[in-house]
Amino acid sequence: MSIKQQTNNPKGRPKGSPNKSTAQAREAIASFVDANAHKMQEWLEQVANGVYDDSTDKWIAPPNPSKAFELLQTVMEYHVPKLARTEHVGENQGPIKYEIEWSK
């Protein structure tokens, strides 16, 4: 007897549906992001502006706004899925042609 015949769903998991572990992981990440949104703003500002120690007169973490933006994008990828790229083509997979008419 095959493995699929032994399960309650002989057709298996539908294509494109996430397994339970993936769904739970995404939910956990979304919950973490939602619960820490106010802290994330502060963390990103610290990365962007840097952290300076007045007592030692040295940077603990130098300012890095591009890194802050990169971190924001990384977090957003897990919370908001990327959109698939779409290619627009004209007739017979050729370029799109536009015709513009000016009226007086």
Side-chain angles (χ1 to χ4, degrees):
M1 186 180 278
S2 74
I3 294 174
K4 284 191 176 183
Q5 291 174 344
Q6 294 174 0
T7 64
N8 291 334
N9 186 357
K11 293 182 180 179
R13 182 169 39 96
K15 185 177 180 181
S17 66
N19 62 28
K20 289 180 185 178
S21 298
T22 301
Q24 289 172 344
R26 288 184 182 181
E27 187 176 319
I29 291 168
S31 295
F32 176 80
V33 170
D34 289 342
N36 290 291
H38 64 286
K39 292 179 185 177
M40 290 185 72
Q41 171 88 25
E42 182 182 333
W43 296 333
L44 290 171
E45 286 177 2
Q46 286 178 346
V47 173
N49 300 330
V51 178
Y52 192 77
D53 186 2
D54 291 327
S55 64
T56 62
D57 201 31
K58 293 183 180 179
W59 286 101
I60 296 171
N64 195 343
S66 61
K67 182 66 175 179
F69 186 70
E70 181 183 318
L71 292 170
L72 176 63
Q73 286 181 313
T74 303
V75 170
M76 288 175 58
E77 283 181 19
Y78 287 98
H79 199 55
V80 179
K82 289 182 179 180
L83 299 176
R85 294 184 181 174
T86 305
E87 182 179 357
H88 298 280
V89 294
E91 287 184 43
N92 301 322
Q93 302 296 315
I96 297 175
K97 296 180 182 179
Y98 293 100
E99 290 185 23
I100 301 172
E101 291 184 22
W102 299 95
S103 61
K104 291 183 180 183

